[in-house]
């Protein structure tokens, strides 16, 4: 399995006070024809599938859409609608707080394939260690969102940007060379998972570049194609 696409779940509920979500989905389809979308759920969530560049483009589109709508009042007749003056006061206070926070730190955000992120964490830990930056990540299904925080000064911003480019560069290169093999468990019990894990651990010294990711019903092996294939064949035998 090659790392060519990913699936993520988007929450559009934040737009429900301003837009008809069905219309927004249609606009998203026109904006990102390379992506495929699932049905829009009642809670405002929708699944999107495609390449990382296409998903990043959709993310930028939604961020710009949210920013433009934040300057407009809510639709008339919406339940619990705030008076315009109250909204302006609230927005002004929020902008003041945000400006104060931004003066203290800069943020860079990256969206990576979750398995690529795990592989980098295991074999390239130095990519997540930089002077003057704090790097954290949250994984959600196939997606890992990496946040890089640095001081709000010019030097801090350069350090954050440098760390972002380093991680992004490694991610692009690893996507070209890594493969994933899935070993399904015949009996997905705790004992069976433990037995397969121990077997893989015994064999892994022969395949040191492979990352083992245990799951409830299967095991994923991530690494160079030859090593992944070799370890998978040994386990199956």
């Amino acid at each position: 399995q090659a790392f060519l696409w990913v699936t993520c779940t988007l929450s559009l509920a934040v737009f429900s006070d301003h837009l008809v979500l069905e219309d927004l989905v249609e606009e998203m389809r026109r904006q990102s024809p390379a992506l495929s979308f699932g049905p829009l759920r009642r809670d405002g969530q929708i699944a999107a599938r495609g390449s990382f560049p296409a998903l990043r483009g959709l993310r930028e589109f939604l961020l710009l859409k949210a920013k433009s709508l934040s300057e407009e009042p809510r639709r008339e007749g919406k339940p619990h609608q705030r008076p315009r003056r109250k909204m302006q006061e609230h927005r002004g206070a929020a902008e003041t707080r945000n400006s104060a926070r931004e003066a203290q730190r800069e943020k860079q955000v990256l969206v990576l394939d979750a398995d690529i992120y795990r592989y980098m964490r295991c074999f390239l830990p130095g990519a997540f260690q930089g002077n003057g930056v704090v790097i954290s990540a949250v994984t959600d299904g196939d997606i890992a969102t990496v946040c890089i925080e640095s001081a709000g000064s010019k030097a801090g911003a350069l350090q954050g940007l440098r760390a972002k480019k380093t991680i992004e560069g490694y991610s692009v290169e690893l996507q070209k060379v890594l493969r994933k093999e899935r070993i399904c468990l015949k009996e997905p019990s705790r004992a069976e998972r433990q037995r397969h894990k121990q077997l893989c651990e015994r064999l892994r010294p022969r395949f040191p570049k492979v990352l083992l990711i245990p799951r409830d019903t299967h095991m994923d092996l991530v690494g160079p194609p030859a090593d992944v294939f070799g370890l998978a064949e040994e386990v199956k035998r």
Side-chain angles (χ1 to χ4, degrees), residues 67-237:
K67 183 177 180 181
S68 65
L69 291 175
S70 67
E71 303 298 328
E72 300 176 2
R74 296 186 179 184
R75 292 196 304 265
E76 295 182 1
K78 189 71 178 178
H80 308 294
Q81 183 179 13
R82 293 182 182 178
R84 182 178 179 84
R85 182 178 177 182
K86 291 287 186 180
M87 290 180 64
Q88 291 174 337
E89 291 174 355
H90 176 76
R91 188 184 302 126
E95 289 173 352
T96 300
R97 290 193 297 270
N98 290 337
S99 298
R101 287 194 292 266
E102 289 170 359
Q104 298 173 1
R105 65 180 187 272
E106 285 281 336
K107 281 188 179 181
Q108 303 283 347
V109 177
L110 273 173
V111 179
L112 307 177
D113 178 277
D115 288 335
I116 293 289
Y117 165 74
R118 295 184 182 100
Y119 194 91
M120 291 176 63
R121 273 291 188 185
C122 181
F123 293 99
L124 297 167
F128 299 93
Q129 300 169 0
N131 293 329
V133 297
V134 177
I135 302 176
S136 59
V138 176
T139 57
D140 182 12
D142 294 332
I143 290 288
T145 303
V146 180
C147 180
I148 304 166
E149 295 188 62
S150 59
S153 62
K154 183 177 180 180
L158 289 175
Q159 290 171 338
L161 186 59
R162 188 178 299 115
K164 178 182 177 181
K165 289 184 176 179
T166 298
I167 296 172
E168 197 169 31
Y170 279 130
S171 173
V172 170
E173 291 304 313
L174 290 175
Q175 280 184 267
K176 297 177 182 177
V177 300
L178 295 184
R179 293 295 181 269
K180 179 165 69 174
E181 180 79 13
R182 178 161 295 176
I183 301 176
C184 295
L185 306 179
K186 295 181 180 179
E187 300 176 4
S189 63
R190 182 176 180 181
E192 181 75 359
R193 291 196 300 270
Q194 186 64 22
R195 188 174 73 84
H196 274 74
K197 182 177 180 180
Q198 291 173 350
L199 177 59
C200 289
E201 292 293 350
R202 289 200 302 270
L203 293 171
R204 196 158 60 172
R206 293 168 51 189
F207 308 95
K209 296 182 180 180
V210 175
L211 174 65
L212 171 65
I213 306 175
R215 307 291 190 185
D216 290 338
T217 59
H218 60 273
M219 288 193 171
D220 287 334
L221 308 178
V222 180
D227 290 352
V228 165
F229 178 78
L231 178 55
E233 289 300 304
E234 290 290 338
V235 171
K236 291 174 183 178
R237 280 200 292 267

